[in-house]
């Protein structure tokens, strides 16, 4: 059964899309700044091995952070595509509607709260067995 989109929901989805596009732009800008910063830091030389190690740790941390942001960028792109395709707000698991409150809080979500809760419970059970 397709989820019905009313005018108020459509207006909120447009606002969510703008929020996602802004977040995407900011993440890309930050990534560009990291690359620029990394290139300039590579040119620096540290006479003290401790300073060099600290700089490498900082750089590795930034790169891990950017890796997580890369995954978020993919989720943002997928959410924007769902909005454009008319499937945004539909739970990928049960096919039911995802509440607007949940979408506003977590715009990249693909599961309704019930399915997400069930998924987390299943993950906890698997962790306990491992």
């Amino acid at each position: 059964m397709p989820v019905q989109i009313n005018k108020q929901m459509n207006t909120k989805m447009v606002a969510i899309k703008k929020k996602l596009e802004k977040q995407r732009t900011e993440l890309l800008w930050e990534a560009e700044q990291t690359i620029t910063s990394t290139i300039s830091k590579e040119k620096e030389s540290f006479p003290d091995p401790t300073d060099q190690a600290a700089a490498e740790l900082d750089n590795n941390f930034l790169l891990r952070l950017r890796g997580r942001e890369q995954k978020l960028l993919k989720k943002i792109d997928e959410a924007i595509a769902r909005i454009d395709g008319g499937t945004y707000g539909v739970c990928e698991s049960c096919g039911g509607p995802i509440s607007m409150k949940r979408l506003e809080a977590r715009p990249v979500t693909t599961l309704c709260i019930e399915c997400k809760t069930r998924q987390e419970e299943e993950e906890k059970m698997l962790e306990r067995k491992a």
Side-chain angles (χ1 to χ4, degrees):
M1 179 174 110
V3 176
Q4 295 295 317
I5 307 286
N6 62 37
K7 191 173 182 176
Q8 182 183 14
M9 286 175 69
N10 193 33
T11 302
K12 288 185 178 185
M13 285 186 196
V14 169
I16 289 172
K17 182 177 178 181
K18 286 181 182 177
K19 179 181 174 182
L20 287 167
E21 288 171 339
K22 181 180 181 207
Q23 186 178 13
R24 183 181 194 287
T25 300
E26 289 170 356
L27 287 171
L28 289 172
W29 182 84
E30 289 171 9
E32 184 178 326
Q33 296 305 308
T34 299
I35 291 168
T36 303
S37 173
T38 301
I39 290 170
S40 66
K41 284 182 183 179
E42 285 176 356
K43 294 177 183 176
E44 291 181 40
S45 63
F46 296 95
D48 182 21
T50 306
D51 291 340
Q52 179 68 37
E56 287 180 22
L57 270 174
D58 289 345
N59 192 37
N60 287 340
F61 175 75
L62 272 176
L63 292 175
R64 273 197 321 270
L65 187 62
R66 295 298 173 239
R68 289 184 185 148
E69 289 174 353
Q70 186 176 16
K71 290 177 186 175
L72 179 56
L73 275 171
K74 183 178 180 204
K75 289 181 179 183
I76 289 170
D77 288 340
E78 290 169 351
I80 291 170
R82 287 192 308 275
I83 291 171
D84 292 342
T87 59
Y88 186 74
V90 179
C91 178
E92 286 184 349
S93 181
C94 70
I98 300 173
S99 73
M100 189 54 65
K101 190 174 180 180
R102 177 160 170 74
L103 292 170
E104 289 172 333
R106 180 101 173 113
V108 297
T109 192
T110 59
L111 300 173
C112 67
I113 194 68
E114 294 82 14
C115 291
K116 183 63 178 173
T117 301
R118 186 173 47 251
Q119 179 192 53
E120 289 174 352
E121 288 170 356
E122 290 170 1
E123 287 173 0
K124 284 180 186 176
M125 290 181 73
L126 288 174
E127 286 176 9
R128 288 183 192 147
K129 289 180 181 180

